[in-house]
Amino acid sequence: MAAHRSGPLKQQNKAHKGGRHHGGGSAQRDSKGRVGPKILCKKLKKQLSRVDQRHRASQLRKQKREAVLAEKRQLGSKDGPPHQVLVVPLHNRICLPEAFKLLQNEDLGTVYLNERGSTHSFMLLSPSLKHRWSFTYARPGDLHTLLDMAKVADTILFLLDPLEGWDSTGDYCLSCLFAQGLPTYMLAVQGLPSLPPKRQTDARKKLNKTVEKRFPEDKLLLLDTQQESGMLLRQLANQKQRHLAFRDRRAYLFAHDADFMPSEESDLVGTLKISGYIRGRTLNVNSLLHIVGHGDFQMNQIDAPVDPFPLNPRVVKSQKKPSMSMEVCVTDAAADMEEGLKVLMKADPDQQETLQTEVIPDPMEGEQTWPTEEELDEANDSLKQRSRVVKKVPKGTSNYQAEWILDEGDESDGEGDESDDDIQHEGFMEEESQDGSGEEEEEECETMTLGESVRDDLYDEKVDEEDEERMLEKYKQERLEEMFPDEMDTPRDVAARIRFQKYRGLKSFRTSPWDPKENLPRDYARIFQFQNFVNTRKRIFKEIEEKETEGAEVGWYVTLHVSNVPVSVVESFRQGAPLIAFSLLPYEQKMSVLNMVVSRSPGNTEPVKAKEELIFHCGFRRFRASPLFSQHTAADKHKFQRFLTADAALVVTVFAPITFPPASVLLFKQRRNGMHSLIATGHLFSVDPDRMVIKRVVLSGHPFKIFTKTAVVRYMFFSRGRCEWRGCWEDGPD
């Protein structure tokens, strides 16, 4: 059979420019080991074959799997910290003592009880499972304690009611926990077998539908018998852990015991000894320690006492029940700490972090961003004596502001020139006026009770008419601000050129220049600012991952000696409040300007005005501050908002200690009856004092006559002198 031959009409394709097209292997053979100049100056890039690529991907998967297994095995093991479990009942019908009794499973191991004030906790050590748990609980009504304990809990065990799941208080608690960041959790139902058999199936279906709204892919476990308790504990031991970003890069400790030694000078301040297990990262004695709700402190020493809760404890036979091999024991951790006490590290004064939070301004430096009163007076006198064009300007106007003010010679004789279509109306902007309300950065731990679901029958008798009047006035102001944003009537008792002397006109809010260092508040001389915050954050996080830190390793039981601590810290601990400590990263004790992006909570409609005192939960910190609100845009200038709106995300600006994001943010407002309500949630956006928050004012009037290119507006000014003075409103209002 003859072979096929192409005819004269065969398509001829254009040849490749480089001649024959070579593959990767032939290119390596042709190069004969020569390396190009681009590869020499950069990191050598190896071209792997497909077999090598698959092998490398398999190795990476194996390494990640081993890392997850190692983390799971370390938590609760003899070398790691105990598995911290926080039990949260979400309904008032749940019997918490009965649940704790079931969790104290004596068939699995030894139980150590610990009663301190009003907080009940216990340790469960199971040599058969090679795991140890530390159980604590928090009521949903004690909101701040619940949020603080959730920051350090490895697992949260939610107890649900078989009929309703959770009540209004439990739902409010879940909203706060989801906004803060939920660690590993588990759902357990208590009391389902107590229902009639015919209702159990319907109750289970109804409960599953209720749970799917917040936990769509989670299963419900039962907690009514000792066998179900054992299954739940095994599930806790094998559960994959979820990470919270703000605690993965810091060392933290949940105190099991605390002791206070007053100083020689005063009984109100002394050294606090905190005992507990190190979690998160290695703790260095030279770093600072933040006690949640109390402030930042320095450490003098770290001791390593004997672990009071070893995984293989000594077995004590019970005289009453000789058949039982394990007994519930009540131990005193302080007695064990004295045995075999060993000093791990002592603080080095040369390497220890300082507690300085604010800059002390030096008047001799003569910084342009921080002039004194005498320098301001000298600058005004020198401006008056200059031989330049003399203009009428408001008091305190700078050179930059004076360029925007037209002189009388620049005015046009024609009446219609003012309202020409080509003239752009200028808005009135005011620079942000930060106050020092953020100085009160920390507060003591406080306990509160939520009463959202409780009806006050004596409301009419206890109502405060003055507070009601103020609240009504605030509602009216919020409504007017929503309908007529930034509009303001010209005051009749004060001259407009004096009332609006801090404002300036901008041809364009977006493109007009504005110096962020101009006319700064005096409080800005006391805060710290990064030259490049993003690069500093990356450098610190990279050092945490790569650099080995000397100190107490994760899982060690240690005693921290914290100096200059007020006695109120240990008093609150003895009364039942948790004592939680976080190590601080570099610069996190210093004050700066924090910007947070928040959204209004759907369940709260109460008006919140700017500069009202609010309670902040920012990452691991809790403090009070009076924030400013501004629009969340990508521009360099941001419009000031007088109220916290519900339809869009806003940026909240406060004076506060530096915190490196990511960190969750919760805003609470204290009511007249002392309760706290969640008003907004969000995250930390940046630490930037140069973020410009501009206040705008629109002068309002009544249009009387409208022509083609001009308009007559009445009731804007009420005297001839104010109309003729053209310093601040040359082109009229927006």
Side-chain angles (χ1 to χ4, degrees), residues 162 192 195 197-208:
L192 188 61
L195 299 176
K198 294 182 179 180
R199 294 188 57 188
Q200 289 184 12
T201 305
D202 297 338
R204 188 187 292 271
K205 291 181 180 179
K206 183 179 179 181
L207 186 60
N208 288 330

Side-chain angles (χ1 to χ4, degrees), residues 118 123 141 163 294 325 385 392 479 498-499 542 579 591 597 716:
S118 60
M123 295 280 297
L163 296 178
H294 297 282
S325 60
Q385 296 175 0
K392 271 189 176 182
R479 180 62 176 168
I498 297 176
R499 171 62 180 84
K542 186 176 181 181
L579 185 57
M591 296 289 292
V597 178
M716 181 175 290

Side-chain angles (χ1 to χ4, degrees), residues 419-647:
S419 58
D420 194 271
D421 292 339
D422 296 334
I423 296 179
Q424 299 181 358
H425 296 298
E426 300 179 2
F428 301 96
M429 313 298 171
E430 183 181 8
E431 191 171 343
E432 169 188 355
S433 178
Q434 304 271 7
D435 55 2
S437 58
E439 296 177 358
E440 184 182 356
E441 59 182 82
E442 301 294 340
E443 62 166 355
E444 294 186 359
C445 290
E446 53 188 0
T447 301
M448 59 159 196
T449 303
L450 294 176
E452 301 240 342
S453 60
V454 180
R455 181 175 175 270
D456 193 356
D457 296 331
L458 302 178
Y459 174 78
D460 294 334
E461 298 180 6
K462 298 179 181 179
V463 67
D464 190 347
E465 295 183 359
E466 295 182 358
D467 291 340
E468 291 294 320
E469 289 291 335
R470 286 195 293 267
M471 186 59 64
L472 178 60
E473 184 64 26
K474 194 181 295 185
Y475 272 109
K476 291 181 179 179
Q477 293 177 4
E478 184 184 28
R479 180 62 176 168
L480 289 175
E481 179 67 21
E482 182 180 355
M483 296 175 61
F484 310 103
D486 303 324
E487 291 192 12
M488 180 182 294
D489 295 332
T490 306
R492 306 188 65 175
D493 55 343
V494 182
R497 60 185 177 87
I498 297 176
R499 171 62 180 84
F500 302 111
Q501 63 183 355
K502 291 185 178 180
Y503 291 78
R504 70 175 63 172
L506 295 182
K507 289 186 176 181
S508 173
F509 191 88
R510 182 180 62 86
T511 60
S512 296
W514 192 303
D515 186 8
K517 302 294 185 183
E518 180 183 354
N519 294 337
L520 292 178
R522 288 195 174 274
D523 292 330
Y524 269 58
R526 308 204 312 267
I527 65 174
F528 290 84
Q529 181 177 3
F530 294 96
Q531 186 174 6
N532 192 323
F533 176 74
V534 177
N535 289 349
T536 304
R537 174 177 170 270
K538 289 181 179 179
R539 176 179 58 82
I540 292 176
F541 286 0
K542 186 176 181 181
E543 290 178 357
I544 293 173
E545 297 294 337
E546 298 178 355
K547 188 177 179 181
E548 294 184 0
T549 307
E550 296 182 357
E553 299 288 341
V554 177
W556 290 4
Y557 187 84
V558 299
T559 299
L560 310 180
H561 294 249
V562 189
S563 58
N564 297 327
V565 179
V567 70
S568 59
V569 178
V570 71
E571 288 178 354
S572 63
F573 175 75
R574 290 169 181 169
Q575 292 174 1
L579 185 57
I580 298 168
F582 278 85
S583 66
L584 296 181
L585 300 180
Y587 316 115
E588 283 195 330
Q589 79 277 16
K590 303 181 185 298
M591 296 289 292
S592 187
V593 178
L594 270 62
N595 303 305
M596 315 167 186
V597 178
V598 300
S599 299
R600 192 67 185 267
S601 180
N604 189 283
T605 58
E606 183 179 353
V608 180
K609 198 173 183 180
K611 299 182 182 180
E612 285 190 21
E613 187 181 60
L614 301 176
I615 301 172
F616 286 76
H617 279 255
C618 181
F620 58 90
R621 292 185 184 272
R622 185 172 77 245
F623 55 88
R624 292 176 181 264
S626 299
L628 296 177
F629 305 138
S630 59
Q631 291 182 348
H632 182 37
T633 60
D636 59 341
K637 295 180 287 295
H638 310 275
K639 180 178 167 297
F640 173 78
Q641 293 287 342
R642 290 172 174 81
F643 289 89
L644 184 62
T645 59
D647 55 348

